[in-house]
Amino acid sequence: MLIQRLLKQQRKVTATVSHVQQLHVVSRALSRVSSFEDAKRRYEHVNEIGNFSVVGRKAVPEFEMLSLELEHKHTGAKVFHLARADDNNTFAVGFPTIPSDSSGVPHILEHTVLCGSERYPCRDPFFKMLNRSLSNFMNAMTASDFTVYPFSTTNAQDYKNLMNVYTDAVFFPKLSEFDFLQEGWRLENEDVTNKDSPIVFKGVVYNEMKGAFSSIDMLFLQRGQQLLHTNTTYSHVSGGEPNDIPSLTWENLKKFHSKFYNFSNARFLTYGDLPLEETLQQIEKSALNRTKSTFTSSATKEDTEPVVGDVWPSPRRARISCVFDPNESSKQTSMSVKFLLHQSLDSYTRFCWNILETLLLSTEASPFYKALIDSKLAPSFSADTGFDQSTAVPVMSFGVKGIDESDCEHVKDVILNTLKTFASEPVDENRVSSILHQMKLSQHVIPSDFGLRALKYHVNMESYRFSF
């Protein structure tokens, strides 16, 4: 009996030790990523994590980082994760939001979803979190063809709290008519205390866009994009044209949300040292495992891709008018020569265009600085000058501002002649080496907001904006 009792106690002890060992293994597996080697050990050979399939993977040793692309088996939601030993963890959820007019529906929806949701029905939970959160970045942004909601924080519990607020906001917003009138547009007395005062348009987005279009630089940028991309997605103002915003109805706002803000269109972007397993579980718990009929998207694949135009057979010219500023000099004209590039530029070719931009424009020794600024032909470059990747078809622009309208033709000739001269001469290899050296040096100093920069780069490079 004594021997049996001792054997039974030994089995209990062995079982307890075994259980503790199992807990230790689980605990270690769900600890923070401690190094590049640790990230590779965890994820380099994994094909599934819970209900997510790993569809792509790449090691980035230069930044001691491993990237993973995953897809949710049941909903098709996509996750792009950067595993790196950095405690400033970043999360973003975004959607392709393709406008079909300039009513500003993507922009107004971005504001309205943050005005309360199913689990957080209070007014403006987003702004309440600004005071309570330990985050070092919180925002929401509407671009020409996508909308994204990012945040960063070094606190693990804060990361979970914010993720809950963000996912509930975008997938389960209240979208009340009152919030639409507040954030979008409404008719109201100019002086709300005086019922006899004039009736005027008001609204957070309406006023914001009126202010934006009062800037000559902003007007030049926006109209230039519209004229260059005629009959495409980019001929519309996703932020909202002040004259067109009042055409948007509350019903159309809700339809736009139902069409684009669903699981199959969702793109989750995550970065940092927190265990990916826990993040994926929380994404499911806070969003993907909650059923809702409107999450069967009415948007086809074509609906979520920007419409791009055909190549022009010949150059075009356009003129944009704006209000003259009496406080500035008499020379208030901006002009630009713009080139539509190829839609299917790969990452390497875009990298080359960035180097070319630096060679042509970025220093006082650059040919365009000498030809346009040093020569006193113009005081500064125009707002659109440079390599622009904000649209599915990239654009390269060369322009100036602060000139007389009569000088436009001469400036155009100088720009084209400078390009011809640059193309006919051998490129200074020392300058290229210097640019590459500076890029390499910059990699040795990792900024504190590296996660945000990396995710922003991914969004800009992966056109159609959020596809992998």
Side-chain angles (χ1 to χ4, degrees):
M1 289 291 292
L2 179 62
I3 293 174
Q4 288 178 340
R5 196 180 304 153
L6 288 172
L7 287 172
K8 192 178 292 185
Q9 288 177 347
Q10 185 180 9
R11 283 196 295 270
K12 285 182 179 179
V13 170
T14 304
T16 303
V17 170
S18 175
H19 182 61
V20 169
Q21 288 174 340
Q22 289 176 5
L23 286 177
H24 177 67
V25 170
V26 171
S27 175
R28 189 171 63 186
L30 295 180
S31 62
R32 289 175 180 256
V33 172
S34 59
S35 66
F36 179 43
E37 293 304 319
D38 183 27
K40 288 195 292 183
R41 275 195 301 271
R42 295 189 192 203
Y43 306 121
E44 200 164 32
H45 303 293
V46 173
N47 295 320
E48 289 186 351
I49 302 177
N51 291 318
F52 290 84
S53 301
V54 178
V55 297
R57 160 179 28 231
K58 185 175 183 180
V60 189
E62 295 86 353
F63 295 112
E64 299 184 328
M65 181 170 66
L66 182 72
S67 70
L68 291 169
E69 299 169 16
L70 306 99
E71 184 170 319
H72 193 242
K73 297 175 186 178
H74 308 310
T75 64
K78 294 179 173 61
V79 178
F80 178 73
H81 178 67
L82 298 174
R84 187 168 179 271
D86 183 352
D87 68 351
N88 191 23
N89 288 273
T90 301
F91 173 90
V93 56
F95 310 87
T97 47
I98 311 302
S100 57
D101 55 39
S102 294
S103 66
V105 59
H107 189 188
I108 294 172
L109 183 59
E110 173 222 307
H111 280 243
T112 312
V113 299
L114 299 174
C115 291
S117 60
E118 189 175 298
R119 288 180 175 173
Y120 305 94
C122 60
R123 174 70 181 166
D124 290 337
F126 180 83
F127 292 101
K128 285 181 171 60
M129 288 298 291
L130 287 173
N131 300 325
R132 293 166 171 78
S133 170
L134 298 173
S135 68
N136 48 60
F137 183 88
M138 284 178 64
N139 210 338
M141 293 160 277
T142 300
S144 297
D145 50 16
F146 68 86
T147 306
V148 62
Y149 302 80
F151 70 79
S152 287
T153 181
T154 57
N155 185 280
Q157 187 58 51
D158 192 43
Y159 184 85
K160 294 176 183 178
N161 293 343
L162 287 172
M163 194 193 303
N164 285 335
V165 172
Y166 269 59
T167 52
D168 204 59
V170 298
F171 292 114
F172 304 94
K174 291 192 302 178
L175 293 185
S176 71
E177 186 174 14
F178 175 83
D179 292 331
F180 167 69
L181 296 173
Q182 175 73 27
E183 301 297 323
W185 72 274
R186 64 188 182 278
L187 287 170
E188 192 173 83
N189 288 102
E190 187 173 26
D191 179 0
V192 293
T193 64
N194 180 8
K195 66 179 182 180
D196 296 323
S197 62
I199 301 294
V200 296
F201 286 108
K202 291 184 180 181
V204 174
V205 172
Y206 179 82
N207 291 335
E208 179 184 330
M209 296 311 295
K210 275 185 66 178
F213 276 98
S214 67
S215 163
I216 294 176
D217 283 345
M218 170 63 182
L219 187 68
F220 187 71
L221 277 168
Q222 184 63 63
R223 294 291 182 257
Q225 175 176 298
Q226 290 175 274
L227 290 165
L228 194 65
H229 299 277
T230 53
N231 301 317
T232 73
T233 295
Y234 308 107
S235 62
H236 306 301
V237 184
S238 62
E241 186 85 51
N243 289 337
D244 293 339
I245 287 175
S247 67
L248 179 64
T249 65
W250 178 43
E251 288 300 324
N252 284 340
L253 180 86
K254 292 188 289 183
K255 287 179 182 177
F256 192 87
H257 178 269
S258 177
K259 183 175 183 178
F260 290 105
Y261 280 53
N262 53 73
F263 297 151
S264 59
N265 284 338
R267 309 293 188 267
F268 296 92
L269 307 161
T270 59
Y271 162 88
D273 66 355
L274 289 176
L276 175 59
E277 297 87 344
E278 291 182 355
T279 298
L280 296 178
Q281 287 173 7
Q282 188 166 353
I283 288 174
E284 282 195 302
K285 183 179 178 181
S286 63
L288 303 184
N289 285 349
R290 295 164 64 184
T291 58
K292 193 173 182 182
S293 59
T294 55
F295 289 164
T296 304
S297 175
S298 62
T300 63
K301 187 175 185 294
E302 289 72 25
D303 290 332
T304 60
E305 295 179 352
V307 177
V308 295
D310 298 325
V311 177
W312 293 353
S314 60
R316 298 180 185 178
R317 181 189 293 261
R319 186 178 187 277
I320 305 165
S321 298
C322 64
V323 177
F324 182 82
D325 187 346
N327 297 317
E328 296 291 334
S329 70
S330 58
K331 295 183 177 182
Q332 297 186 24
T333 298
S334 297
M335 74 85 57
S336 179
V337 177
K338 306 170 81 69
F339 296 90
L340 273 172
L341 306 182
H342 200 277
Q343 179 184 351
S344 59
L345 292 185
D346 57 24
S347 298
Y348 175 75
T349 307
R350 291 173 184 246
F351 172 73
C352 292
W353 272 103
N354 279 305
I355 294 176
L356 186 61
E357 176 190 37
T358 304
L359 283 170
L360 291 171
L361 294 160
S362 297
T363 69
E364 293 185 1
S366 301
F368 276 95
Y369 189 90
K370 289 180 177 179
L372 298 173
I373 311 302
D374 251 3
S375 65
K376 309 298 181 184
L377 194 58
S380 59
F381 290 122
S382 58
D384 64 337
T385 295
F387 181 50
D388 178 18
Q389 303 180 72
S390 65
T391 54
V393 182
V395 177
M396 190 71 178
S397 303
F398 306 91
V400 295
K401 62 180 180 179
I403 64 172
D404 192 271
E405 188 172 357
S406 61
D407 294 329
C408 287
E409 194 65 29
H410 176 55
V411 172
K412 184 200 77 172
D413 291 339
V414 170
I415 290 172
L416 296 178
N417 288 333
T418 303
L419 282 172
K420 288 178 183 177
T421 301
F422 181 82
S424 65
E425 297 175 349
V427 176
D428 186 345
E429 293 186 8
N430 290 330
R431 286 200 64 205
V432 175
S433 297
S434 176
I435 293 169
L436 292 172
H437 181 64
Q438 289 296 322
M439 289 180 172
K440 191 172 182 179
L441 282 177
S442 67
Q443 293 180 5
H444 293 294
V445 181
I446 306 298
S448 59
D449 62 345
F450 179 80
L452 281 169
R453 296 189 188 197
L455 294 183
K456 179 182 177 183
Y457 178 81
H458 173 76
V459 169
N460 283 336
M461 289 298 290
E462 298 297 333
S463 229
Y464 302 103
R465 322 310 297 146
F466 272 95
S467 60
F468 296 116

